[in-house]
Amino acid sequence: MRLITHWIDGKSTEGDSTRRGPVFNPALGSQQAEVLLAESSDVDRAVQAAGRAFEDWSESSFSRRSQVLFAFRELLHARKRELAELITDEHGKVVSDAEGEVQRGLEVVEYACGIPSLLKGDYSDQVASNVDSFSFRQPLGVVAGITPFNFPAMVPMWMYPVAIAAGNCFILKPSERDPSAALFVAELWAEAGLPDAVFNVIQGDKVAVDGLLDHPGVAAVSFVGSTPIARYIHGRATANGKRVQALGGAKNHAIVLPDADPEYASTHLAAAAFGSAGERCMAISAAVTVGVAGDVLMEVLDHQSREVRVGSGRDPSSDMGPVITPQARDRIVSLIDSGEQQGGNVRVDGRGIKVPDYENGFFVGPTVIDHVSTDMDVYTNEIFGPVLSVVRAETVDDAIDVINANPYGNGTAIFTSDGGAARKFMRKVKVGMIGINVPVPVPMAYHSFGGWKDSLFGEHHIHGPDGVRFYTRGKVVTSRWPEIHHRASFDMPTAT
Ligand code: NAD
C-alpha cells in the first residue's frame, strides 16, 4: 500500500511516526493509500528546521522571494491537471472542479508575486523639526496552516503563498483524508528554488494539531475547517500567545425574489448546492424563497436537480462525484431522513443512488427538501452534502431575518432584478461574503476571504490585504539625525 509521508527540511520523511490512517478513493469506495500520523516529536523537528530556515529566508530580498514565487507559479500552472487528478482520486470531486480549485489557489500565488508592492511602507517627512517617521512590516517567524479535506490544494494556497512571500516559514498540516496534494506542492516548491524548511508538511490528526498549537516556536496559526474545531483552535492557540485566524463552517442561504428569472436562479442554485457534492464552505444549502417565487422556483429546480449527472470524478460526463467517506454519506442520508420525519417535503431524493461500475462508491444524489422550517435538524446542521433545503418566507425582510438569525455567516446571495432590494440585502445581512445574482461569491485573491459570526474566529480574513497583515507585524520608526545637539525634554514628545 502506498505510504504518504511528511515533508520536513526539504525532504520526504517518516520521522517518528508509527500510526497510520487510511486514504480512500471515494468513487471506488476502497482504500488506496496510508498516511502517516505525526507524533509531537515530528512536529518539533519541523518547527526547529523552519525556525533555522527563517533566519535566512526572512533576510532574503524581495526580488529573490518574487523570483521563487514566479517559478512556483509557472510550475503549478504547468502541472495543474496532474494536481487536479490527484485531488479527484482522493477527494472525489470532478476533475474540472479540481482544476478550478487549483486555479483559484494559483491566483493567490500570483497575488503574492507582488509582495514588493504589498509590503511597501509609509513615510512621513518632517513630522517635527528634523524628524522623520516611517512604518514597515516584518514577518512573524514560523507559522502553521491546518486545513480541511474539501479543498486540499486551494485552502492551503489561501495561506502559504502570502506567508512565505512575506518572509515566514510555513508548516502545513493538511487533512488526513486527502493528504497527497500537500506533498505534490512541496516538491514544486523545492523545484522552484525555495530553500529547505521554508515550506514543510506534517501529516496527521489531533496529535499533530495540538503539537503545533502548543509549540512555543510557532508564532501564528491559520485554520480552516468546521466550527467546533475552529473555536477550539482559536481558544487553545490564543491562550498560548499565538496570532490566530480560524475559519469555521457555514450554512449559506440564497434569497430568491419573485422578480428573479426562475431559470437563471434555478440553474445557479443547483450548481451552487450540488457542485462538489455540496462539500464547499460556500455551497448554497438553503434557498429562502419570497412569496410566489417559491412555487415557480420549485417547478424548475425539481427538473434541473434530476438532470445532474452523478458519477466518478474521473468521468468527464459527471457533474458531481461522491462524498468523502462512508461516514459522511451515512450522516447526510440520516439528516435527509430526519427532514422527512420532521415535516419537510423531499421533492428530489438522492438517497440510495447507485452509480453503474461504482457500486461501492460513497454517493449521495442531489436532494431538494421543500417547506423546511428553521427548527428542523436538516436546517440547523451544516450538512456538507448535496442537499438543498427550501425555506418559504413572506417578504424580503423576513428572508433577511432568517439569515441573520442563523449562527453562521460565511456566504450568502440574492437573486433579483430589483437594485433597491439587492442594496438593502447587502447592507443588512450579517454575513461576510455576499453575492448579487452570484450564488458562490468567493472573493478574488486581491480581496480577503472570510465570514462573520460562527464562521470566523479571530480578527483577520484570509489572503488579500488581510493575509498580508496577518502574516506580518508593523514597526514605526521615528528618526532624527541631529546636526546640533538638542536639549532632551522630560515631557511627552510633541511636534515642534
Ligand atoms: P474538520 O474541522 O473536521 O478538520 C479540519 C482540520 O482540523 C483537519 O486538518 C483535521 O485533521 C483537524 N482536526 C479535526 N478534528 C480535530 C480535533 N479534534 N482536534 C484538532 N484538530 C482536528 O473539517 P473537515 O471535515 O476537514 O472540513 C469540512 C469543514 O470545513 C466544513 O465545516 C466546512 O464548512 C469547513 N470549511 C470552511 C471554510 C471556510 O472558508 N470557512 C472553507 C473550507 C471548509
Side-chain angles (χ1 to χ4, degrees), residues 380-391:
T380 54
N381 285 278
E382 180 187 25
I383 302 177
F384 224 55
V387 181
L388 180 65
S389 299
V390 180
V391 179

Side-chain angles (χ1 to χ4, degrees), residues 255-340:
I255 295 181
V256 184
L257 294 190
D259 56 33
D261 174 1
E263 277 288 331
Y264 179 90
S266 167
T267 316
H268 283 85
L269 268 179
F274 309 133
S276 198
E279 292 173 325
R280 288 183 184 145
C281 60
M282 290 292 276
I284 295 290
S285 55
V288 189
T289 61
V290 173
V292 295
D295 289 345
V296 180
L297 181 83
M298 284 312 298
E299 284 297 309
V300 197
L301 193 58
D302 188 305
H303 168 71
Q304 284 182 337
S305 305
R306 291 173 202 277
E307 298 277 288
V308 175
R309 293 161 301 182
V310 182
S312 160
R314 283 284 198 150
D315 179 349
S317 68
S318 304
D319 294 317
M320 176 190 131
V323 298
I324 186 78
T325 55
Q327 292 79 10
R329 177 197 55 206
D330 296 348
R331 180 178 168 275
I332 295 164
V333 167
S334 81
L335 279 162
I336 302 170
D337 292 345
S338 78
E340 193 167 44

Side-chain angles (χ1 to χ4, degrees), residues 147-150 173 176 206 209 223-226 248-249 281 382 449:
T147 53
F149 80 84
N150 66 322
K173 204 306 280 174
E176 60 274 45
K206 183 171 168 53
V209 172
F223 173 85
V224 177
S226 60
C281 60
E382 180 187 25
F449 179 112

Side-chain angles (χ1 to χ4, degrees), residues 33-347:
E34 281 186 321
V35 60
L36 291 173
L37 302 174
E39 299 304 327
S40 49
S41 55
D42 299 315
V43 173
D44 182 56
R45 197 167 299 124
V47 177
Q48 300 291 351
R52 286 190 297 275
F54 178 71
E55 286 169 29
D56 282 343
W57 183 245
S58 58
E59 291 295 323
S60 62
S61 67
F62 280 142
S63 45
R64 162 107 180 89
R65 289 185 227 163
S66 296
Q67 275 164 16
V68 174
L69 276 144
F70 271 97
F72 178 69
R73 187 265 170 209
E74 289 302 296
L75 289 167
L76 197 56
H77 181 71
R79 298 186 62 188
K80 192 159 55 170
R81 177 83 187 182
E82 217 180 310
L83 178 54
E85 288 176 350
L86 193 61
I87 293 168
T88 294
D89 290 347
E90 290 186 359
H91 175 282
K93 65 177 75 176
V94 298
V95 175
S96 53
D97 187 33
E99 268 191 300
E101 92 155 84
V102 178
Q103 176 58 34
R104 294 307 299 265
L106 195 63
E107 287 162 11
V108 183
V109 180
E110 288 165 355
Y111 173 74
C113 286
I115 198 70
S117 301
L118 297 170
L119 279 184
K120 261 160 74 178
D122 285 325
Y123 194 98
S124 298
D125 174 53
Q126 194 72 352
V127 295
S129 302
N130 295 322
V131 178
D132 305 321
S133 188
F134 55 97
S135 59
F136 64 102
R137 301 187 71 83
Q138 291 185 314
L140 303 178
V142 179
V143 299
I146 300 158
T147 53
F149 80 84
N150 66 322
F151 285 111
M154 181 184 77
V155 166
M157 277 192 258
W158 286 350
M159 304 171 181
Y160 61 71
V162 178
I164 288 174
N168 300 283
C169 293
F170 196 89
I171 301 179
L172 174 61
K173 204 306 280 174
S175 170
E176 60 274 45
R177 293 182 222 158
D178 44 14
S180 292
L183 279 190
F184 185 94
V185 158
E187 288 178 14
L188 295 192
W189 272 124
E191 203 178 330
L194 190 72
D196 290 349
V198 177
F199 179 79
N200 307 273
V201 179
I202 283 286
Q203 310 285 6
D205 54 9
K206 183 171 168 53
V207 175
V209 172
D210 289 349
L212 289 166
L213 301 181
D214 294 344
H215 201 296
V218 173
V221 175
S222 299
F223 173 85
V224 177
S226 60
T227 288
I229 310 298
R231 193 181 271 119
Y232 164 75
I233 300 273
H234 184 258
R236 186 155 172 168
T238 51
N240 285 330
K242 302 185 194 315
R243 185 178 289 194
V244 186
Q245 52 179 183
L247 283 70
K251 189 85 186 176
N252 305 312
H253 300 67
I255 295 181
V256 184
L257 294 190
D259 56 33
D261 174 1
E263 277 288 331
Y264 179 90
S266 167
T267 316
H268 283 85
L269 268 179
F274 309 133
S276 198
E279 292 173 325
R280 288 183 184 145
C281 60
M282 290 292 276
I284 295 290
S285 55
V288 189
T289 61
V290 173
V292 295
D295 289 345
V296 180
L297 181 83
M298 284 312 298
E299 284 297 309
V300 197
L301 193 58
D302 188 305
H303 168 71
Q304 284 182 337
S305 305
R306 291 173 202 277
E307 298 277 288
V308 175
R309 293 161 301 182
V310 182
S312 160
R314 283 284 198 150
D315 179 349
S317 68
S318 304
D319 294 317
M320 176 190 131
V323 298
I324 186 78
T325 55
Q327 292 79 10
R329 177 197 55 206
D330 296 348
R331 180 178 168 275
I332 295 164
V333 167
S334 81
L335 279 162
I336 302 170
D337 292 345
S338 78
E340 193 167 44
Q341 285 149 16
Q342 292 169 6
N345 173 9
V346 182
R347 286 269 303 239

